[in-house]
Amino acid sequence: MSDKEIRDFSQKIKLGLELAERKMLEEKALHGENIIVSSDGKTFQYIPAKQIIEASKM
């Protein structure tokens, strides 16, 4: 594969992952579910999916 093909393929994967994450968040928000978030792998927070969607619209 050429460098351009690799960049294009990587971009398609990135966009696909972003779409899948968005759909997952929307589904969880629809059911009033939380997302578990950790920045250090030791402490965890439960955040409503709806709150994450609203924060991403800013």
Side-chain angles (χ1 to χ4, degrees):
M1 289 180 111
S2 69
D3 287 343
K4 183 183 179 335
E5 289 172 323
I6 292 171
R7 282 192 306 273
D8 290 346
F9 184 68
S10 295
Q11 184 66 20
K12 286 180 183 179
I13 290 173
K14 181 182 174 191
L15 291 174
L17 288 171
E18 289 172 358
L19 178 61
E21 180 180 18
R22 180 69 183 195
K23 286 183 177 183
M24 183 256 323
L25 285 171
E26 289 172 352
E27 185 71 22
K28 287 191 171 287
L30 183 66
H31 293 89
E33 296 177 350
N34 297 324
I35 302 297
I36 302 169
V37 179
S38 175
S39 60
D40 62 5
K42 296 177 184 174
T43 57
F44 301 93
Q45 279 185 296
Y46 294 84
I47 302 172
K50 185 178 180 181
Q51 183 178 338
I52 295 172
I53 291 171
E54 289 171 357
S56 70
K57 291 180 181 178
M58 296 177 139

